[in-house]
């Protein structure tokens, strides 16, 4: 895990977004990369505002960063206002009942506690309806607390030219005008790249910090993860023999197969395996790209190393699944998924090394 690359990526986005503030989204254990290492590195680089999804993630982050501003994107679970306030966490309030509960808590305590108001502009997942947002803006002084952020989330920013993106921008711009003095935030990584209009007062990048593709067709920033797995043995396989569970791939020639110590329990998706009908993912061994063969097992995968010179592959050597030109999104494409899922699925059995930062 290259913390220096994450920090560099944050600095790049921060410079692009200025004068808007650049926050960092570190939900799901910093997209699987390790919040305990990633968040302090970003804080040292100058990030002041962080987003997590759950209360528990917020509590963990508060222990790591006593002075950061921390928002909890999934909002206010019933009865958890005291826990949020005790840890100075700010929920993204995304429904009328959540706002009522937070207001009641603040009034009972006689204190205003900061929270974000999340307005839906077309995602239909979390957030106030426009009608509710308008009603709220008319009765803001009855709230009992001062909103510290007005936010919404883009549904299609990763797809250039999607009409929903411009519609969301126009709706959010109108709503933001109704909340003068409240900082506004619309953009995730992809939205940040879309241009000044999308950046408002604060941007909320996640995937772009971690070396993933944010907008299809736009190259990622510095890659962050390298994933190596040991070769356990190299075997000769006769022409016509099949490799692995289900005999899913039959060798068309006499082959050398390296059996590698990584499987779907480690987040190498079973969908990235190969069959006679479709190729799978690739691994780099001895500097060369080699195809995976047959199904991926829980703890093992097989790689065809027939093309490598004799003696180039040894028991105990490494196969690289991510890095050296294989990006998170390359592996994702071979697995029928997105870079986000590859990162957040990285398993718990790896030895993790953090460098830089
Ligand atoms: C996850 C998330 C982000 C970050 O999205 P990326 O596409 O990873 O940049 C921003 N805002 C909200 C509301 C999110 O849920």
């Amino acid at each position: 895990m290259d913390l220096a690359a994450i920090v560099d990526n944050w600095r790049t986005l921060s410079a692009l977004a200025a004068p808007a503030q650049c926050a960092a989204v570190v939900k799901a254990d910093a997209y699987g990369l390790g919040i305990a290492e990633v968040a302090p590195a970003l804080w040292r680089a100058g990030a002041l505002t962080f987003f997590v999804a759950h209360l528990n993630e917020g509590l963990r982050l508060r222990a790591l960063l006593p002075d950061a501003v921390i928002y909890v994107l999934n909002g206010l679970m019933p009865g958890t206002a005291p826990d949020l306030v005790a840890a100075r966490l700010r929920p993204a309030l995304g429904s009328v009942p959540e706002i009522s509960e937070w207001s009641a808590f603040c009034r009972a305590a006689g204190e205003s506690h900061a929270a974000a108001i999340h307005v839906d502009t077309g995602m239909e997942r979390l957030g106030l309806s426009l009608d509710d947002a308008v009603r709220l803006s008319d009765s803001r002084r009855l709230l009992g607390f001062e909103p510290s952020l007005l936010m919404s989330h883009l549904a299609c920013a990763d797809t250039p030219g999607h009409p929903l993106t411009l519609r969301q921008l126009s709706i959010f711009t109108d709503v933001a005008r109704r909340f003068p003095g409240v900082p506004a935030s619309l953009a995730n990584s992809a939205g940040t790249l879309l241009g000044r209009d999308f950046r408002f007062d604060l941007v909320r990048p996640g995937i772009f910090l971690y070396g993933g593709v944010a907008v299809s067709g736009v190259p990622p920033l510095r890659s962050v993860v390298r994933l190596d797995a040991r070769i356990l043995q190299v075997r000769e396989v006769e022409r016509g023999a099949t490799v692995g569970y289900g005999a899913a791939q039959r060798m068309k020639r006499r082959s050398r197969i390296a059996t590698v110590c990584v499987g779907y329990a480690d987040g190498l998706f079973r969908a990235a395996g190969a069959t006679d009908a479709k190729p799978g993912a690739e691994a780099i061994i001895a500097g060369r790209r080699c195809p995976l063969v047959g199904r991926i097992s829980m703890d093992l995968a097989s790689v065809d190393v027939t093309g490598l010179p004799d003696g180039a592959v040894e028991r105990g050597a490494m196969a690289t699944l991510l890095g050296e030109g294989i990006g998170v999104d390359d592996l994702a494409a071979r697995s029928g998924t997105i870079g986000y899922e590859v990162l957040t699925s990285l398993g718990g059995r790896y030895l993790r090394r953090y460098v830089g930062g």
Side-chain angles (χ1 to χ4, degrees):
M1 309 290 187
D2 188 344
L3 294 174
I6 296 178
V7 162
D8 246 25
N9 293 344
W10 182 81
R11 289 204 171 108
T12 301
L13 277 179
S14 195
L16 177 73
Q21 187 197 142
C22 187
V25 180
V26 294
K27 62 194 181 189
D29 200 24
Y31 288 44
L33 304 187
I35 195 171
E37 289 78 12
V38 169
L42 288 168
W43 173 261
R44 286 192 297 273
L48 299 172
T49 303
F50 293 78
F51 289 82
V52 294
H54 292 196
L55 168 59
N56 280 342
E57 294 176 330
L59 295 175
R60 183 150 178 239
L61 183 56
R62 176 54 75 214
L64 294 164
L65 301 180
D67 300 320
V69 172
I70 302 174
Y71 285 97
V72 176
L73 288 167
N74 285 9
L76 176 62
M77 291 278 192
T80 60
D83 304 281
L84 286 154
V85 165
R88 289 169 290 119
L89 304 175
R90 303 177 176 186
L93 302 170
S95 68
V96 171
E98 284 180 48
I99 291 173
S100 305
E101 188 174 334
W102 193 256
S103 286
F105 180 84
C106 289
R107 268 191 240 105
E111 296 163 348
S112 164
H113 293 290
I117 303 287
H118 185 168
V119 179
D120 182 46
T121 53
M123 181 85 166
E124 300 291 1
R125 192 177 65 173
L126 291 175
L128 291 182
S129 71
L130 287 181
D131 286 349
D132 286 334
V134 168
R135 261 195 293 278
L136 185 72
S137 68
D138 291 338
S139 57
R140 212 173 121 185
R141 64 201 162 68
L142 304 177
L143 264 182
F145 67 94
E146 201 38 51
S148 54
L149 190 70
L150 183 77
M151 62 167 279
S152 188
H153 192 43
L154 296 165
C156 304
D158 55 342
T159 310
H162 198 292
L164 182 54
T165 306
L166 283 181
R167 199 154 74 235
Q168 288 192 270
L169 173 64
S170 137
I171 293 170
F172 188 67
T173 307
D174 287 346
V175 173
R177 271 197 210 107
R178 294 180 158 271
F179 288 85
V182 180
S185 175
L186 177 63
N188 59 350
S189 300
T192 306
L193 301 182
L194 286 175
R196 186 180 300 276
D197 290 353
F198 286 85
R199 295 178 196 137
F200 293 86
D201 301 298
L202 179 127
V203 297
R204 312 185 304 267
I207 193 70
F208 222 41
L209 304 177
Y210 308 119
V213 168
V215 178
S216 42
V218 176
L221 295 172
R222 283 181 61 183
S223 77
V224 168
V225 184
R226 179 192 172 107
L227 174 56
D228 292 329
R230 295 263 181 213
I231 294 167
L232 298 172
Q233 57 172 256
V234 183
R235 50 198 303 127
E236 304 286 331
V237 176
E238 295 301 330
R239 174 167 183 261
T242 57
V243 175
Y245 281 121
Q249 190 168 8
R250 188 175 296 280
M251 304 318 293
K252 296 200 173 74
R253 57 177 180 179
R254 191 180 154 84
S255 304
R256 285 197 356 266
I257 301 296
T259 306
V260 179
C261 191
V262 61
Y264 60 76
D266 305 298
L268 183 65
F269 291 114
R270 194 164 172 278
T275 67
D276 288 328
K278 91 168 200 9
E282 294 173 327
I284 292 171
I285 297 178
R288 293 259 290 274
R289 275 197 190 223
C290 306
L292 264 64
V293 198
R295 286 194 185 149
I296 292 167
S297 321
M298 187 183 291
D299 318 293
L300 296 165
S302 300
V303 182
D304 188 342
V305 293
T306 316
L308 298 185
D310 277 351
V313 198
E314 284 182 356
R315 170 175 166 254
M318 290 293 192
T320 299
L321 281 304
L322 285 174
E324 290 195 41
I326 301 180
V328 170
D329 291 271
D330 299 326
L331 179 55
R334 304 275 182 153
S335 314
T337 183
I338 53 176
Y340 298 70
E341 198 179 10
V342 167
L343 291 180
T344 55
S345 301
L346 289 172
R349 295 196 292 196
Y350 298 117
L351 170 67
R352 288 171 177 237
R353 285 208 187 88
Y354 291 87
V355 299

